[in-house]
Amino acid sequence: MNDTVPSPFPDTFLWGGATAANQLEGAYDQDGKGLSIQDILPQGIVGPVADGPTPDNLKLEGIDFYHRYAQDIALFAEMGFKVFRFSIAWSRIFPRGDEEAPNEAGLAFYDRVLDELEKHGIEPLVTISHYETPLHLAQTYDGWRSRELIGFYERYVRALFARYGTRVRYWLTFNEINSTLHFPLMGAGVLTPKEQVSKGERYQAAHYELVASASATRIAHEMMPDAKVGCMVIAAPFYPLTPAPADVWAAKQTERDTYFFGDIHVRGEYPGYALRYLREQGIELDITDADREILTNTVDFVSFSYYMSFCETADPEQKAGQGNLLGGVPNPHLASSEWGWQIDPVGLRIIANDFWDRWQKPLFVVENGLGAKDQLVEVDGVKTVVDDYRIAYMNDHLVQLGEAIADGVEVLGYTMWGPIDLVSASTAQLSKRYGFIYVDRNDDGSGTLERYRKKSFAWYAEVIRTHGASLRPAR
Ligand code: BG6
């Protein structure tokens, strides 16, 4: 990171990229796949819920990874990826979600993906559930508001572990599990309109997911003694907007919405502050003694997405929605992306230190990156994107991650979000691009689906090749 100090990233560090099935696979109804909640969200989280798949839903075709995975994985290998995070589409394996037996054609697809990864020596990191609850479970059970989903999820994870247990070592149970409190449909497949889902109902859905997550951890450890299971949360430091103690306390309280999930995953029980909150809100959850026992199956590592930080205030008048799923008060010291996400590399060092100090579990940064509008141009006769803004974003975040490692934080790896352009989760646009690889597909669905290496492609390859030594000191 400079000429004299050696890179803090260990040789074993897992460099790579992260994706989710619904955002890139396409083939939404092929080989027996059932529908998922994503097939009725043509405009992402904020848009209306459709009756079924509609032609304007870019996720139906995605970037056709379902048919082009071999070529795409070869490009990841060209960058030197050590790890590739992807999710398994639950409804490819159990099309409705509540069947007895899995769909063989769905299982076979991920065998083929794993074959390619093995061919290139890339370690798989599998997300079991990434905002992809089968639609039937949403329509019939209102998603994770029903305890019955725990059993369906257990059946699903058993099928995955039985099939891929010898090939996949790293597993994540639920993507951004804390999103359930904020977006019950995305996070928990709850079809009841968000405004009608009470706080108590959100915590109940979260509880069932937490039990399912702990149960998956137990089953994983039984069936695959070498497996490493992690939880996954949206991480964002909340800074007090002013030094007023009330603001400092408000920031701490808001951060606890996230800590709650990590605390249960790592410590195996509900923390005191959550019990107090639930009691004072008059929320009585369905928590059985058997649930409490299952929750003691704690995770091996903590993974998280990091895109931005927020401010928090005790003053209701200053609160304003901004940012991703969490939302918060804008920070006057930070610049924003084209989508209003505030860019804060130091926040990554802060949150990594906070998580490590709190849990003393290895961390895995499984999402981070910049969604931006890219311009395909021709340089020396080759089509590319000159994405210096993306390089700057990632460089500065990786430098801060290196600082956290130098601080003593144990970090297993870093998978940047969307190494190849894919469909946005929040807005369902393709023009919100994260990739090192440009995909010729536009928001109106036009495009050839051809892939092109951006400038950041060679940059990341060099970072990986040098174990981070090529990173530039923070500006
Ligand atoms: C995370 C999700 O919230 O952020 C991903 O786990 C998502 O699925 C990523 O794509 C980036 O968000 P967006 O809305 O820009 O796609």
Side-chain angles (χ1 to χ4, degrees):
M1 312 213 302
N2 66 40
D3 294 341
T4 48
V5 184
S7 166
F9 294 95
D11 288 352
T12 52
F13 194 75
L14 292 168
W15 300 94
T19 61
N22 72 86
Q23 293 174 254
L24 90 169
E25 283 180 2
Y28 77 103
D29 62 352
Q30 284 183 30
D31 296 331
K33 182 181 175 297
L35 298 179
S36 89
I37 54 165
Q38 292 295 338
D39 298 317
I40 57 161
L41 290 171
Q43 290 166 38
I45 327 174
V46 284
V49 177
D51 291 337
T54 48
D56 60 336
N57 189 341
L58 291 177
K59 287 168 278 187
L60 305 186
E61 189 182 356
I63 56 158
D64 195 32
F65 180 80
Y66 193 76
H67 299 107
R68 298 169 194 240
Y69 61 93
Q71 172 199 340
D72 293 341
I73 291 170
L75 287 168
F76 302 154
E78 196 181 316
M79 276 186 277
F81 275 27
K82 311 283 179 229
V83 63
F84 175 49
R85 174 183 174 222
F86 61 99
S87 74
I88 292 182
W90 187 345
S91 63
R92 272 197 202 289
I93 311 302
F94 288 93
R96 290 195 320 266
D98 56 2
E99 299 89 338
E100 295 287 330
N103 168 32
E104 174 54 34
L107 287 167
F109 169 64
Y110 297 103
D111 273 331
R112 296 197 291 278
V113 170
L114 290 170
D115 289 344
E116 287 307 310
L117 294 175
E118 275 162 27
K119 196 161 103 188
H120 295 289
I122 299 175
E123 178 100 42
L125 166 61
V126 170
T127 315
I128 296 168
S129 179
H130 190 129
Y131 296 156
E132 289 155 341
T133 307
L135 186 58
H136 173 76
L137 297 185
Q139 288 171 334
T140 312
Y141 304 88
D142 213 11
W144 284 93
R145 282 186 61 196
S146 164
R147 180 178 274 280
E148 284 193 77
L149 262 78
I150 299 174
F152 302 142
Y153 182 86
E154 287 171 335
R155 196 178 297 160
Y156 168 48
V157 302
R158 279 183 192 283
L160 301 188
F161 298 161
R163 182 72 166 228
Y164 311 121
T166 56
R167 313 181 76 180
V168 178
R169 187 154 174 256
Y170 293 100
W171 298 89
L172 305 179
T173 52
F174 287 92
N175 182 63
E176 301 191 332
I177 187 166
N178 46 334
S179 64
T180 288
L181 295 185
H182 309 275
F183 284 92
L185 175 52
M186 201 83 130
V190 173
L191 261 187
T192 299
K194 189 175 154 217
E195 318 67 57
Q196 294 165 31
V197 187
S198 69
K199 269 266 173 212
E201 288 161 344
R202 292 169 194 224
Y203 272 95
Q204 187 64 68
H207 173 74
Y208 292 145
E209 288 186 326
L210 285 161
V211 172
S213 178
S215 179
T217 306
R218 180 176 59 81
I219 296 169
H221 288 154
E222 277 169 13
M223 292 178 69
M224 310 175 293
D226 293 333
K228 300 281 177 214
V229 184
C231 58
M232 197 301 203
V233 294
I234 310 174
F238 278 83
Y239 307 134
L241 188 61
T242 74
D247 278 358
V248 177
W249 185 248
K252 201 173 176 60
Q253 290 289 78
T254 301
E255 274 189 337
R256 282 177 162 172
D257 283 351
T258 301
Y259 283 141
F260 169 75
F261 291 87
D263 284 346
I264 293 175
H265 273 108
V266 173
R267 297 178 178 151
E269 60 182 9
Y270 273 60
Y273 62 82
L275 295 174
R276 176 179 181 178
Y277 172 81
L278 294 171
R279 196 172 55 241
E280 289 183 354
Q281 295 290 312
I283 296 171
E284 268 186 52
L285 296 183
D286 164 32
I287 303 179
T288 65
D289 287 344
D291 291 350
R292 289 194 186 87
E293 169 60 27
I294 290 174
L295 289 178
T296 62
N297 292 280
T298 54
V299 288
D300 303 304
F301 66 96
V302 172
S303 79
F304 61 90
S305 59
Y306 176 77
Y307 292 94
M308 69 195 96
S309 62
F310 298 101
C311 286
E312 185 53 289
T313 171
D315 176 359
E317 288 198 355
Q318 298 212 50
K319 278 187 182 266
Q322 170 251 349
N324 70 349
L325 297 181
L326 296 186
V329 181
N331 185 332
H333 300 281
L334 299 176
S336 297
S337 78
E338 289 166 278
W339 273 264
W341 292 18
Q342 290 204 300
I343 301 171
D344 179 13
V346 178
L348 178 55
R349 180 181 185 180
I350 293 170
I351 204 76
N353 272 275
D354 283 356
F355 280 9
W356 174 252
D357 291 347
R358 193 175 181 102
W359 296 315
Q360 298 282 297
K361 286 277 178 194
L363 304 180
F364 208 137
V365 184
V366 296
E367 285 187 36
N368 171 241
L370 178 70
K373 288 187 184 133
D374 285 339
Q375 189 82 43
L376 194 64
V377 295
E378 225 169 272
V379 176
D380 299 332
V382 178
K383 281 192 181 162
T384 185
V385 174
V386 185
D387 53 347
D388 290 313
Y389 39 92
R390 182 168 294 108
I391 293 173
Y393 178 103
M394 296 199 53
N395 179 84
D396 293 355
H397 282 77
L398 283 169
V399 166
Q400 293 302 328
L401 186 61
E403 294 288 354
I405 294 170
D407 293 333
V409 180
E410 189 180 339
V411 185
L412 298 172
Y414 172 91
T415 56
M416 63 76 75
W417 177 253
I420 183 163
D421 294 343
L422 37 67
V423 185
S424 155
S426 57
T427 66
Q429 294 168 294
L430 241 155
S431 54
K432 191 179 186 188
R433 297 172 182 274
Y434 285 85
F436 301 124
I437 302 160
Y438 183 94
V439 177
D440 179 19
R441 188 162 192 232
N442 307 305
D443 286 345
D444 62 5
S446 63
T448 61
L449 290 169
E450 275 305 299
R451 275 69 165 147
Y452 302 97
R453 293 167 189 78
K454 303 182 193 175
K455 185 176 175 185
S456 55
F457 184 99
W459 171 85
Y460 196 49
E462 187 63 3
V463 172
I464 297 176
R465 193 186 66 75
T466 62
H467 296 286
S470 63
L471 293 167
R472 303 292 253 244
R475 288 155 301 154

